[in-house]
Amino acid sequence: MHLRAVHAEARIPRLQQFVRDNPLGILTTAIKSPNHPLLQSSHIPFVLDVPKENDPANPGVLRGHIAKQNPQAKALIEALAAQQAAGQTTLELPDEVLVLFNGPHHHYVTPKFYTETKPATGKVVPTWNYSAVQAYGKISVFCDSKAEETGAFLQKQLTDLSQHAEGSIMGYTGGERPNPWEVSDAPVPYVELLKKNIIGVEIKLERLEGKFKMSQEMGKGDRNGVIEGFAKLGTERGQGMAQTVRERGELKDQGKKD
């Protein structure tokens, strides 16, 4: 990720919250295989576990699951089988994997939004505003459906992911809101059958990198023009962009102080 200082977000708690708010990650692996492509990516919803002490040196652990029929899952299982054949007991791949999380809003930025620079010099060009977090780490795989460890991992993964999505994303918290769906609402034999057709993945994160490219590099007058321009689009995405450009601009002006 190209990180200009003006766009970079290095605060681990903010990056972790970004992942929680946007849990659908794109898992990318590079696994040499005679049967599968070297580079593969899959969209996977993740659960993020973080240390209670909020240690910046420990960005946390991502947990997810993939269908066994996914070619990327097959490549992972194949790589682990090769490890075991070589006498290795670990189920962790030696090379890093990448998970990309995108923010909820991104948009083309027309030069017409730059109400200060465009009329003064005309030295403006189009760009694209977006936000993203890249997570890097070592991946472990739980793929033996007969192993107690795999069953426990998948049960916890499915339960925690459902709780997070139902509560934090859908807002189903009970009381005046609808009650959340729970894994226990589905028949146990049905859940157990589904678990046999997925593998669990756990990624011990080694670093997080974040980028909010939201017109911070522009002067305040042009930023205000971008905010106004997005707001006038009259769309949900436009409103989201206007708010994010405003927030990131204020953080820049404050020196990114919390």
Side-chain angles (χ1 to χ4, degrees):
M1 179 183 286
H2 174 48
L3 289 174
R4 291 180 59 187
V6 70
H7 297 144
E9 175 58 77
R11 292 166 293 182
I12 296 299
R14 295 233 175 180
L15 299 178
Q16 291 170 333
Q17 190 58 49
F18 186 99
V19 171
R20 293 189 195 96
D21 294 338
N22 306 280
L24 183 63
I26 302 173
L27 170 64
T28 300
T29 57
I31 302 173
K32 292 183 179 180
S33 166
N35 303 310
H36 305 287
L38 172 67
L39 294 174
Q40 296 197 69
S41 293
S42 298
H43 287 77
I44 300 171
F46 283 95
V47 173
L48 174 64
D49 298 324
V50 299
K52 294 181 180 180
E53 62 274 15
N54 290 324
D55 180 6
N58 183 357
V61 175
L62 289 172
R63 289 187 282 120
H65 62 276
I66 316 175
K68 282 185 177 178
Q69 293 304 310
N70 185 321
Q72 190 173 25
K74 292 181 178 181
L76 286 166
I77 294 172
E78 179 184 89
L80 295 175
Q83 278 188 350
Q84 292 173 325
Q88 299 180 35
T89 58
T90 178
L91 293 181
E92 180 181 274
L93 296 186
D95 297 320
E96 275 189 337
V97 301
L98 163 67
V99 185
L100 170 65
F101 297 92
N102 287 309
H105 305 294
H106 63 88
H107 210 288
Y108 170 80
V109 183
T110 172
K112 293 182 178 183
F113 285 175
Y114 301 135
T115 54
E116 188 172 76
T117 304
K118 182 179 180 296
T121 68
K123 295 180 179 180
V124 290
V125 293
T127 190
W128 205 283
N129 278 0
Y130 63 93
S131 57
V133 166
Q134 290 184 347
Y136 298 85
K138 298 291 183 65
I139 189 170
S140 298
V141 182
F142 298 82
C143 55
D144 183 357
S145 58
K146 296 180 181 179
E148 183 177 341
E149 183 182 22
T150 298
F153 178 91
L154 290 175
Q155 186 66 37
K156 179 174 174 55
Q157 159 62 17
L158 295 174
T159 299
D160 291 350
L161 179 61
S162 298
Q163 287 179 347
H164 175 67
E166 291 285 317
S168 298
I169 297 177
M170 297 302 299
Y172 294 162
T173 55
E176 296 182 357
R177 299 284 295 170
N179 290 322
W181 179 88
E182 299 179 358
V183 174
S184 58
D185 292 343
V188 172
Y190 176 71
V191 174
E192 292 301 316
L193 178 63
L194 292 180
K195 284 164 59 177
K196 292 180 180 179
N197 290 288
I198 60 177
I199 67 170
V201 294
E202 181 179 80
I203 304 170
K204 295 179 181 178
L205 298 181
E206 297 177 345
R207 66 187 191 278
L208 288 172
E209 296 179 354
K211 180 174 184 177
F212 286 79
K213 184 179 176 296
M214 290 290 170
S215 302
Q216 304 99 306
E217 73 280 6
M218 306 303 294
K220 197 165 186 177
D222 284 333
R223 292 206 314 264
N224 288 337
V226 172
I227 293 169
E228 182 179 0
F230 279 133
K232 285 184 176 179
L233 292 179
T235 63
E236 181 179 351
R237 183 187 294 185
Q239 292 297 326
M241 289 298 300
Q243 180 178 344
T244 309
V245 171
R246 181 182 297 108
E247 290 173 351
R248 299 308 296 190
E250 290 173 351
L251 283 172
K252 176 197 173 186
D253 294 340
Q254 297 167 8
K256 286 192 175 180
K257 295 179 181 179
D258 287 316

